[in-house]
Amino acid sequence: MSKIKVLMVASEVGPFAKTGGLADVTAVLPGVLNQHQCEVRVIMPLYRRIKQRYEDQLKFIRWTMVKMGWRSMYSGLFSFRTGGVTYYFIDNEYYFGHDKIYLEYSFDIERFCFFQRAVLDALGEPMDFEPDIIHCHDWQTGLIPCLLEAHYFPYGYHRHVKTVYTIHNLKYQGIHGVERIADLCDMPARFLTEYGILKDGVPNLMKAGIVYSQAVTTVSPSYAEEILTPYYGEGLDGVLRSFSYKLTGIMNGIDRDLYNPQTDRNIPLNYDLTNWAKGKAAAKKALLKRVNLPSDGKLPLIGMVSRLVDQKGLDLLLRIIDELLAYGCQMVILGTGDEFYANQLQMVAQRHPELLAPCIYFDSQLANKIYAAADLFLMPSLFEPCGLSQMIAMRYGTLPIVRETGGLRDSVTPYNKYDGSGNGFSFANINAHELLYTTKAAIDLWKERSTNPAWNTLIENAMTADFGWDNAAEEYLKVYKKVLGTQKEIPVD
Ligand code: GLC
């Protein structure tokens, strides 16, 4: 059977550019799908850091001018093959010659409008690859299905190409004024309606992806259900409900090579199921020393590796953190984000210098040390499309405490004290005291660990849970096959 040719398009792809989980997913999924009847190639912007880092390895393919309203913008196309995957990069100094991936809101809209048009311009002959499917991720690529219908299909180009759109986080939608989008994208009027890309009178790139793609996926089955409700729908639940026939929730996996306590060089002693107690004890001692917290072995250590934004439930934590620390535990929190949360955590640390270490920066090596060293891992998210940290923590034998939402609900089975089953702890409502009581119960179980085998069993269950990518790959393959079987009416201009 011939392979399904897929072009993945994203604003972040690990290891080239990363701010969050999107990059983790786009880093691994192409390679995995390539082992499942697909030939996947990837295209992304050539941000300054990628240019600097991979300068000698990037292969220049061609340059052209991309039309955007009254402007014509230079667009370079480069490629680079690594790990069995071909990557393409769109070059434009004005848009992508910056250290950061995301800049100012309105400029980002323009940057990613350019990117999407440049991607479609490079399709086929220039990149020597005509995909069967374009797989788009998040709002930065949401217009691609619509742009195909606007500028290519009516003129006989790429008419067989189908599109799949994956929502990693519905909250960020890419919303901007009608005139601007019409101008930047030369968008014909027939798309600028509430049936098309407009939501409440303004273009919404996330909505465009949902409306014009042939299949929509999101990153866990529970989130796929939640976003059909007003509470989680971010204003798009109505749109999603009317297109729910093409929505599937596919749980992400984690990179089991990158996150492997048996081989991880960031921890003092590698471990597996047979010697985790020793390995984790060594990791804990080393981490506490590194973050300047005293270690006497009497307190459990709670870890958190998170963007510091409200989605992650930091308000719940701040409400009860003094009481929690006073109950008897230490905490290490690593992440960057809102200044407000960073300041609040620093203030808590001033009150409890021996108990809390806030590390307000990003350091992936320190992250791995925390995954290994902690006894418990906190993720009280208000919503969580999938969440990767809870799965990584479990692989390192660190028990997650999560709110039952989205992918957290789908990956963590709460401890059942009657039959001892489970691989973590969870609570149902957005309620600080539910978080507090659940965490206290987890601490109590930790304290009993020399007499009650439940704790060790939970750790072993967590470490052996299957969070690989094979299942997801099979599911994506099903979506691809379904989409390739669909017929589409192509409007003629
Ligand atoms: C986004 C979501 C997160 C998910 C990740 C990868 O960052 O917030 O829950 O794990 O995308 O899909």
Side-chain angles (χ1 to χ4, degrees):
M1 208 184 91
S2 71
K3 293 191 167 181
I4 301 178
K5 289 195 250 163
V6 181
L7 181 67
M8 278 219 189
V9 195
S11 58
E12 300 182 24
V13 179
F16 303 107
K18 168 170 174 166
T19 67
L22 169 62
D24 291 306
V25 173
T26 49
V28 186
L29 192 54
V32 182
L33 284 167
N34 280 345
Q35 289 161 8
H36 287 78
Q37 300 170 41
C38 296
E39 184 189 348
V40 183
R41 300 191 185 184
V42 182
I43 187 160
M44 65 181 297
L46 186 59
Y47 302 111
R48 170 143 78 200
R49 295 212 170 139
I50 307 177
K51 213 182 227 179
Q52 288 167 344
R53 165 102 211 272
Y54 297 91
E55 204 176 9
D56 350 322
Q57 297 163 67
L58 293 172
K59 197 173 118 210
F60 176 72
I61 300 180
R62 70 100 159 90
W63 69 270
T64 186
M65 300 303 280
V66 167
K67 182 171 147 30
M68 293 176 80
W70 53 268
R71 324 156 191 72
S72 279
M73 301 300 283
Y74 161 88
S75 163
L77 182 66
F78 287 80
S79 76
F80 175 45
R81 198 170 156 78
T82 176
V85 178
T86 301
Y87 296 87
Y88 297 96
F89 298 90
I90 297 288
D91 180 34
N92 177 300
E93 277 288 315
Y94 172 62
Y95 288 133
F96 303 125
H98 309 271
D99 284 338
K100 285 188 161 177
I101 300 180
Y102 305 114
L103 304 166
E104 182 269 330
Y105 189 87
S106 137
F107 189 40
D108 282 353
I109 300 270
E110 181 176 332
R111 295 166 73 222
F112 290 105
C113 282
F114 164 77
F115 172 61
Q116 296 175 87
R117 300 197 70 172
V119 167
L120 291 176
D121 231 47
L123 222 57
E125 209 184 309
M127 46 167 100
D128 193 20
F129 186 65
E130 178 75 19
D132 303 308
I133 290 175
I134 303 184
H135 188 159
C136 306
H137 297 266
D138 273 351
W139 74 262
Q140 296 87 350
T141 60
L143 267 187
I144 283 183
C146 172
L147 290 170
L148 271 171
E149 288 200 19
H151 299 315
Y152 296 88
F153 295 165
Y155 310 103
Y157 295 104
H158 314 304
R159 292 180 81 138
H160 68 282
V161 175
K162 303 282 160 69
T163 49
V164 172
Y165 181 60
T166 297
I167 302 171
H168 293 263
N169 194 334
L170 194 61
K171 192 176 168 110
Y172 306 101
Q173 300 183 354
I175 298 170
H176 215 43
V178 177
E179 268 123 65
R180 193 90 195 292
I181 297 293
D183 170 42
L184 292 171
C185 299
D186 296 283
M187 191 61 84
R190 69 174 185 277
F191 295 94
L192 295 166
T193 74
E194 291 292 322
Y195 294 105
I197 70 169
L198 301 190
K199 168 75 176 84
D200 301 330
V202 281
N204 180 312
L205 273 56
M206 173 67 77
K207 183 195 170 192
I210 297 167
V211 173
Y212 290 98
S213 59
Q214 279 79 59
V216 180
T217 72
T218 187
V219 288
S220 70
S222 286
Y223 192 59
E225 283 177 24
E226 288 170 346
I227 56 178
L228 302 179
T229 66
Y231 183 79
Y232 292 97
E234 304 286 350
L236 291 179
D237 49 296
V239 176
L240 283 159
R241 279 197 300 279
S242 45
F243 290 101
S244 61
Y245 64 89
K246 60 178 178 186
L247 176 65
T248 324
I250 301 177
M251 187 78 189
N252 288 331
I254 53 170
D255 185 336
R256 283 188 288 191
D257 298 325
L258 193 60
Y259 302 110
N260 183 352
Q262 274 172 278
T263 53
D264 193 330
R265 288 165 182 227
N266 299 300
I267 56 180
L269 185 74
N270 288 115
Y271 60 90
D272 58 18
L273 263 185
T274 59
N275 62 343
W276 59 262
K278 255 188 164 169
K280 287 186 71 66
K284 185 169 171 178
K285 207 167 156 211
L287 176 71
L288 290 173
K289 189 158 176 233
R290 154 101 190 246
V291 299
N292 283 323
L293 290 181
S295 79
D296 60 6
K298 293 208 180 78
L299 295 175
L301 177 65
I302 303 182
M304 207 168 168
V305 177
S306 178
R307 279 183 297 128
L308 302 180
V309 295
D310 61 349
Q311 173 195 340
K312 300 295 178 182
L314 288 153
D315 295 289
L316 300 186
L317 177 64
L318 288 172
R319 176 71 181 77
I320 51 109
I321 193 165
D322 288 284
E323 210 175 322
L324 184 59
L325 293 170
Y327 191 69
C329 64
Q330 289 175 305
M331 288 189 81
V332 178
I333 301 179
L334 171 68
T336 56
D338 289 354
E339 203 92 330
F340 170 78
Y341 294 119
N343 291 341
Q344 291 288 318
L345 289 170
Q346 305 279 19
M347 272 150 62
V348 179
Q350 278 168 15
R351 297 198 289 274
H352 308 275
E354 308 208 317
L355 299 178
L356 172 68
C359 307
I360 311 299
Y361 44 86
F362 189 74
D363 176 342
S364 62
Q365 296 180 352
L366 182 60
N368 283 27
K369 292 183 207 297
I370 296 174
Y371 291 127
D375 299 293
L376 292 160
F377 191 85
L378 211 57
M379 235 171 137
S381 305
L382 309 185
F383 70 92
E384 195 60 74
C386 177
L388 302 170
S389 310
Q390 81 280 12
M391 295 191 268
I392 301 170
M394 287 155 88
R395 181 145 167 79
Y396 283 84
T398 299
L399 299 179
I401 300 175
V402 302
R403 193 175 89 75
E404 290 153 18
T405 182
L408 298 176
R409 180 171 156 225
D410 294 340
S411 55
V412 177
T413 312
Y415 169 56
N416 177 331
K417 67 178 172 193
Y418 299 107
D419 65 9
S421 64
N423 53 23
F425 306 89
S426 67
F427 61 99
N429 298 300
I430 300 176
N431 177 313
H433 283 86
E434 273 188 45
L435 165 65
L436 178 65
Y437 299 140
T438 308
T439 312
K440 280 184 174 175
I443 293 175
D444 291 343
L445 201 66
W446 179 86
K447 286 186 189 148
E448 289 168 19
R449 69 199 181 291
S450 56
T451 52
N452 181 351
W455 182 264
N456 290 3
T457 309
L458 286 178
I459 291 187
E460 281 155 19
N461 292 347
M463 287 180 77
T464 49
D466 174 19
F467 296 126
W469 270 104
D470 286 322
N471 185 40
E474 292 292 341
E475 295 286 313
Y476 280 111
L477 196 63
K478 273 192 220 156
V479 171
Y480 292 164
K481 284 184 177 164
K482 199 168 154 197
V483 153
L484 290 176
T486 56
Q487 286 304 317
K488 198 167 45 167
E489 298 241 337
I490 297 169
V492 178
D493 233 9

